[in-house]
Amino acid sequence: MPIKDYYGYIPPSNTLDWAKLTGGLADTITGISDERQQQREELGKLNMTNQQIVSSVDSYSNQTLNEFVLSGSEEARSTMKTWYDQLRNREIKPAEYKNRMNNLMTNWTDFGTATKTFNSRIQEGLKRSIPGEDGLVVASGFELYKIDQMAQLSDLKNKKIFIDPQTGNIMSGALDPNTGVVDPNTLVTGAALNNPENLQSNRVDLNAIVASKVGNWGEFRDERNGTTKEGQALNPLFAQAVASLTGSLIGTPEAITSIIDDNTDTEVAYYSNQAGLNAIIEDRISTQNDARKILGQEPMTQEESDKFIDDNSFSMMQVQRDGNGVMRPIPTQEQIDFAKKTIQDEIYIQMDSEQVIEPKEKKNKEQKSDGGSGLTDSQINAKNKGAEIHDIIYSQVDVAGKLKRASGGEYEFTFDKPTKSWTATKKGAKNPSFSGMKSSGDFYKVFYGGQESYFREGTKKKLN
């Protein structure tokens, strides 16, 4: 995918000559002599040299880029002049003056590095979002969000360079188009832009991790009253193993986020400020009302909309920058609990189901001519169908399409995120035929209404 097609990003035709802007700085900034006259001369030279460096910017054909660079240069020169005046008036000490100068020029270099590597870093990020030879994607959904945010930095409209007059730290930020005030949530330093964590966040492959762990859990047999039960869930250490594995998988906010975003049907939306959250809410309500319209229903009332958003809030993830300027998700307790449940559901799916072995005498009495299972063809088919639907529901890939095909195209299936349940609508019908189906066993209504117990039994064990 060409980088220019991603999120509207268009690399500038010209790049800043940051080496030119910062060249010779190391030779200029020297130790301050104990002698007052030499000290004044050195600091005066430092001021003039740095003024020249930040003033030495080329003119660019991209007017927005040109204005952005010139604005930053003017801001830096103005700040340095203020510091020099403060130094001469003895309002700040030489050591403080030099420290601010060093910070400013270091930050200036950081922004240069970020600019030079901007294009290549986004391209590398895009490669991580493409399935590898094993069919797996390395990048998480949160990483794709961060790539989007990084690409948006290329749009310099309403952006400005800011310099902290007390430290010399440089940040870029977006101005509110209505008020002209900078949005604090958009402020970012050059060092933060260069931090790999601001672009990469690995996907948690929950299925593979759980499979590698559960496979090492031992079997356990319990023989009482002539009946033998066996399975991993009967092991006395089972609960401890589940808790330990769950805890290890939710060790970071990024891991929690990936478990929800990359391992469930949940469509996670990220936001960093109230305006972003409001946009998500408006979009979710609009989508839900469009779905109701298709079903011939009226749009949600205000009360229904409020409840819908409250029920759907677990899919909205807040993001903030930490002390190093790295974007971090901030999961709520509801989201953490949902991630834990997702992990434990995956564990139960993959571990061996409990098997009940009846006494031999009892089994002989129940044997029939159908191969000794004691079940009719209809009951066997119901169990097999239950196992098939179980695998479809937990495959988490094209679930609605697979369910439709499993029904022979007779039903359309939709998932309602607020209630976390499935609805089945018969082809050509306006209203749902079945609703409120949350577990794979609930689908007996659609596929085997007369064999509920056998269908549910089939959903307890995956197909071989």
Side-chain angles (χ1 to χ4, degrees):
M1 179 189 299
I3 188 62
K4 65 180 181 180
D5 294 336
Y6 190 71
Y7 293 105
Y9 169 69
I10 302 177
S13 57
N14 297 290
T15 56
L16 298 177
D17 187 353
W18 290 95
K20 175 181 178 182
L21 299 183
T22 58
L25 179 61
D27 295 332
T28 302
I29 300 179
T30 59
I32 299 175
S33 171
D34 291 336
E35 298 179 11
R36 193 175 286 270
Q37 181 61 34
Q38 183 179 354
Q39 183 182 69
R40 285 198 296 266
E41 292 177 358
E42 291 295 333
L43 294 177
K45 290 179 181 179
L46 177 64
N47 175 58
M48 292 180 62
T49 301
N50 287 346
Q51 289 271 2
Q52 292 173 354
I53 289 174
V54 298
S55 298
S56 300
V57 293
D58 296 327
S59 179
Y60 298 93
S61 57
N62 185 316
Q63 188 61 29
T64 304
L65 174 61
N66 197 46
E67 292 175 357
F68 180 76
V69 173
L70 289 176
S71 173
S73 174
E74 292 172 1
E75 183 76 16
R77 285 188 288 121
S78 175
T79 302
M80 286 190 288
K81 183 181 183 304
T82 299
W83 291 342
Y84 191 59
D85 289 341
Q86 291 176 336
L87 175 68
R88 296 178 63 182
N89 295 330
R90 299 185 179 181
E91 295 175 14
I92 59 175
K93 295 181 179 180
E96 177 64 20
Y97 174 77
K98 183 178 178 181
N99 185 53
R100 292 182 183 182
M101 278 290 194
N102 284 335
N103 282 344
L104 187 149
M105 300 311 293
T106 298
N107 276 253
W108 191 263
T109 302
D110 286 339
F111 268 103
T113 301
T115 300
K116 288 187 293 186
T117 62
F118 187 84
N119 188 31
S120 61
R121 291 178 66 211
I122 290 184
Q123 287 182 332
E124 187 62 32
L126 291 176
K127 291 179 183 178
R128 288 168 49 85
S129 67
I130 300 174
E133 294 181 359
D134 56 2
L136 299 178
V137 173
V138 178
S140 66
F142 182 52
E143 177 170 323
L144 298 181
Y145 166 78
K146 291 199 286 188
I147 292 175
D148 175 27
Q149 296 299 297
M150 179 71 77
Q152 288 182 25
L153 292 175
S154 66
D155 180 8
L156 299 176
K157 186 178 181 180
N158 292 326
K159 288 189 173 67
K160 183 180 178 182
I161 289 178
F162 298 89
I163 301 176
D164 186 337
Q166 301 301 318
T167 64
N169 292 332
I170 303 177
M171 294 173 284
S172 68
L175 301 176
D176 186 308
N178 297 318
T179 65
V181 177
V182 64
D183 180 355
N185 294 292
T186 65
L187 289 172
V188 59
T189 65
L193 291 176
N194 294 325
N195 193 322
E197 286 190 274
N198 253 332
L199 199 60
Q200 295 185 357
S201 181
N202 291 336
R203 175 180 178 271
V204 174
D205 188 348
L206 186 60
N207 182 279
I209 294 175
V210 171
S212 67
K213 299 296 183 180
V214 172
N216 297 323
W217 294 355
E219 296 282 346
F220 190 78
R221 297 174 66 87
D222 183 11
E223 299 185 7
R224 300 180 190 179
N225 301 323
T227 298
T228 298
K229 294 183 179 180
E230 58 182 26
Q232 291 164 310
L234 296 173
N235 194 315
L237 299 178
F238 172 73
Q240 180 180 338
V242 171
S244 178
L245 179 54
T246 301
S248 69
L249 288 174
I250 59 171
T252 67
E254 288 80 4
I256 294 170
T257 302
S258 180
I259 289 169
I260 299 173
D261 197 358
D262 304 317
N263 296 274
T264 73
D265 286 333
T266 305
E267 183 181 350
V268 177
Y270 301 94
Y271 67 94
S272 61
N273 53 34
Q274 188 61 45
L277 177 59
N278 292 342
I280 294 172
I281 292 175
E282 290 176 6
D283 179 68
R284 294 285 171 89
I285 291 177
S286 176
T287 300
Q288 183 69 3
N289 283 333
D290 287 344
R292 291 168 68 99
K293 184 177 181 180
I294 293 173
L295 296 174
Q297 300 174 357
E298 293 295 321
M300 292 185 292
T301 64
Q302 184 61 52
E303 182 178 354
E304 290 174 329
S305 295
D306 292 343
K307 184 178 185 304
F308 169 75
I309 293 303
D310 184 61
D311 293 339
N312 205 33
S313 61
F314 78 98
S315 66
M316 304 176 195
M317 184 74 69
Q318 185 178 4
V319 176
Q320 285 184 357
R321 293 189 184 275
D322 63 14
N324 295 319
V326 177
M327 286 186 289
R328 304 284 188 193
I330 307 177
T332 63
Q333 188 59 51
E334 181 185 17
Q335 290 165 336
I336 295 173
D337 292 341
F338 182 69
K340 289 181 179 179
K341 184 179 183 303
T342 300
I343 296 170
Q344 291 164 8
D345 286 347
E346 183 65 27
I347 292 173
Y348 295 135
I349 290 168
Q350 293 200 27
M351 71 180 187
D352 292 337
S353 300
E354 176 187 297
Q355 301 175 17
V356 179
I357 304 174
E358 300 292 349
K360 184 175 181 180
E361 300 80 16
K362 185 175 181 180
K363 288 171 59 178
N364 288 336
K365 291 180 181 180
E366 294 181 346
Q367 286 181 343
K368 296 183 180 180
S369 59
D370 57 6
S373 68
L375 302 178
T376 65
D377 288 343
S378 178
Q379 292 168 341
I380 293 174
N381 291 337
K383 288 182 65 176
N384 290 338
K385 197 66 175 182
E388 176 188 353
I389 300 305
H390 174 278
D391 281 1
I392 290 176
I393 293 299
Y394 288 97
S395 70
Q396 301 177 1
V397 177
D398 189 27
V399 176
K402 291 178 180 178
L403 288 173
K404 180 180 179 179
R405 290 190 287 275
S407 72
E410 188 177 358
Y411 290 91
E412 293 283 351
F413 295 83
T414 56
F415 183 73
D416 183 47
K417 291 183 178 180
T419 61
K420 302 176 185 177
S421 63
W422 286 90
T423 295
T425 304
K426 198 162 187 177
K427 188 176 180 180
K430 293 183 178 180
N431 299 316
S433 305
F434 305 98
S435 60
M437 296 178 288
K438 295 187 175 182
S439 68
S440 55
D442 294 339
F443 282 79
Y444 80 90
K445 306 172 186 178
V446 180
F447 297 98
Y448 270 90
Q451 301 289 353
E452 177 182 355
S453 60
Y454 295 96
F455 182 93
R456 288 187 180 278
E457 185 178 353
T459 64
K460 295 179 182 179
K461 187 170 178 63
K462 298 175 70 175
L463 288 171
N464 296 325

